[in-house]
Amino acid sequence: MNESFAESVRSHFPVFERRFDGRPLAFFDGPGGSQVPGQVADAVAATLLLHNANVHGSFATSREVDAILAAAREAAVDFLGAGGAREIAFGANMTTLAFAFARSLSRGWEPGDEVVVTDLDHQANVAPWRRAAEDRGAVVRSVPFDPATMQLDLGALEEMLGPRTRLVAVGAASNAVGTVSDVARVAEMAHRVGALVFVDAVHYAPHRLVDVRALECDFLACSAYKFFGPHAGLLWGKPEHMEALLPYKVPPCADTLPERWETGTMNHEGMAGVAAAIDWIASLAPEPAPTRREALRAAMERIGEHETRIFGLLLDGLEAIPGVRVFGPPRGAPRTPTAGFTVRGVHADEVARRLGDEGVCAWSGNFYATGVTEGLGIVQGGGLVRAGVAPYCNEDDVARLVEGVSRIAGGGRGD
């Protein structure tokens, strides 16, 4: 695969028509939120401008909204590999969904019960469970990671699990350094002691085909603004659990799945945008496919091939710069195209600012993955600089990032 793929992808994104000092912006900020194709914005705008009504009415625009939401649910089924629309609820974002869901899931916990989180996770898959555990008197344990490999210590997890473990919350991929965790193995270990498994797939979903059955989890959440969609979240759960748990909702709200988990009027335009984003990803399949799920599989493989090649160039460039330290799994280990790095003698915020001044978009900080920066001992100095590759990233983008970091590193002052 060559640069023609990236150029084809970029043609769908209006943002590449704008210029910064005469050049397109180079986007490495995907781990914090991707750019959006024109057809996604069109779907959002059309819902607001042409189909703006509440649901279940007896008039044209309301019936049209019903159809839009039904289509969004079916698209989400295909995207996650779910068994049906009743298994997926929509909400504001993964964080909000997790906090709301934690309140319901923890109703059955008792003092002395145990919850397991990890040091590799975004706080969205840590704080909701810590707060819920505090309310119920449950004990929270956190699985460490190996700083050398950036992999979870599954041996430590094994020792933490026991008959009182009620939940294991694990991220499918680290938004800070890209580690892809063995969720299926974690789930097998957790289920062996009767615990449920909640997966944060926010950073995983833009880069790998989500398959809730293969991951063998009980619940999974992600946010569409990471996979070329609007700001909306998706929560999947096994129907037997989603039916048995008691949601916090107003009494007139339907008590059937998935509506019983969707409080208030939904973000109709956001759901339309989610469906459009999923359809856009499917459109990248190199050949027509019999189903949208199969098109998504082929498209994600194509995306993965491109991102792996571009990310390899990025790693080669960064690792060759004196004074730059890149954190992440070793070459060949499962990983999303995401690198966290530091520049000796230069605060991470300063690195990001100077790159931004050159039209190169990258984040700095802890990215709400505070366990990662604390575990690596790099809280001082602003944490990490993070660069993530998306399908629209090309070789010129990488060259600009590497050249910019090289200039910054060359002007660093001491340790």
Side-chain angles (χ1 to χ4, degrees):
M1 186 178 296
N2 54 37
E3 284 294 271
S4 63
F5 175 74
E7 297 315 308
S8 174
V9 167
R10 290 162 79 99
S11 70
H12 296 268
F13 290 77
V15 71
F16 289 105
E17 297 174 7
R18 64 171 296 184
R19 292 293 180 268
F20 183 90
D21 287 342
R23 305 177 73 179
L25 288 163
F27 292 105
F28 292 96
D29 61 334
S34 62
Q35 299 304 304
V36 176
Q39 73 183 62
V40 171
D42 291 344
V44 170
T47 303
L48 286 170
L49 299 177
L50 302 176
H51 315 289
N52 198 8
N54 218 319
V55 295
H56 308 322
S58 301
F59 48 92
T61 50
S62 181
R63 290 195 295 268
E64 289 160 3
V65 169
D66 288 341
I68 288 170
L69 302 197
R73 296 188 193 282
E74 290 302 324
V77 167
D78 290 340
F79 187 68
L80 299 180
R86 62 197 297 267
E87 299 177 5
I88 300 171
F90 281 79
N93 49 59
M94 182 270 171
T95 304
T96 302
L97 284 165
F99 269 108
F101 193 68
R103 190 180 185 195
S104 295
L105 186 61
S106 65
R107 283 173 60 92
W109 298 350
E110 298 177 352
D113 283 346
E114 300 173 354
V115 177
V116 178
V117 296
T118 91
D119 291 347
L120 201 57
D121 269 59
H122 188 290
Q123 280 289 332
N125 204 29
V126 176
W129 315 115
R130 287 193 178 279
R131 299 292 84 79
E134 289 174 3
D135 292 343
R136 300 294 174 182
V139 176
V140 179
R141 306 186 188 284
S142 191
V143 182
F145 61 88
D146 182 345
T149 65
M150 298 306 302
Q151 302 283 346
L152 288 175
D153 184 344
L154 297 186
L157 170 62
E158 186 79 52
E159 294 179 359
M160 292 177 186
L161 296 172
R164 300 208 65 176
T165 307
R166 297 292 172 258
L167 177 76
V168 176
V170 62
S174 166
N175 73 308
V177 294
T179 303
V180 173
S181 294
D182 190 347
V183 171
R185 184 178 175 194
V186 171
E188 188 276 328
M189 295 167 66
H191 290 157
R192 200 186 309 151
V193 299
L196 298 173
V197 177
F198 188 102
V199 174
D200 171 5
V202 173
H203 186 65
Y204 183 92
H207 306 290
R208 303 286 182 89
L209 183 70
V210 178
D211 187 336
V212 292
R213 299 289 187 263
L215 293 175
E216 300 184 7
C217 54
D218 299 287
F219 313 101
L220 179 144
C222 59
S223 293
Y225 72 97
K226 300 295 181 78
F227 58 84
F228 322 109
H231 291 86
L234 294 81
L235 170 66
W236 170 85
K238 289 182 177 177
E240 59 267 31
H241 299 318
M242 301 293 272
E243 288 177 332
L245 294 169
L246 181 65
Y248 286 76
K249 67 181 184 65
V250 296
C253 177
D255 202 35
T256 54
L257 294 178
E259 290 86 359
R260 71 195 305 257
W261 291 100
E262 296 176 336
T263 56
T265 300
M266 300 303 293
N267 179 359
H268 303 157
E269 62 274 17
M271 292 174 68
V274 172
I278 293 169
D279 282 337
W280 178 80
I281 295 172
S283 75
L284 299 182
E287 298 177 356
T291 67
R292 179 165 49 195
R293 177 67 177 176
E294 289 307 309
L296 287 165
R297 187 184 307 280
M300 293 304 293
E301 289 176 358
R302 194 179 185 196
I303 287 172
E305 291 173 4
H306 171 74
E307 290 182 339
T308 297
R309 185 180 70 84
I310 294 297
F311 187 62
L313 298 175
L314 185 151
L315 281 182
D316 290 343
L318 290 178
E319 290 175 350
I321 302 172
V324 171
R325 183 180 180 189
V326 180
F327 297 87
R331 300 272 187 141
R335 182 180 192 166
T336 65
T338 307
F341 64 94
T342 56
V343 178
R344 186 174 59 237
V346 188
H347 196 282
D349 292 348
E350 176 69 6
V351 176
R353 184 192 66 77
R354 290 175 62 179
L355 289 172
D357 289 345
E358 297 180 6
V360 177
C361 307
W363 284 106
S364 60
N366 58 41
F367 326 114
Y368 290 80
T370 53
V372 173
T373 51
E374 291 170 1
L376 293 174
I378 53 173
V379 176
Q380 301 300 320
L384 295 165
V385 184
R386 181 181 63 185
V389 169
Y392 42 71
C393 292
N394 61 22
E395 292 180 9
D396 182 64
D397 293 336
V398 171
R400 291 168 63 184
L401 173 70
V402 172
E403 290 167 5
V405 174
S406 182
R407 283 191 293 272
I408 295 167
R413 301 184 304 277
D415 290 327

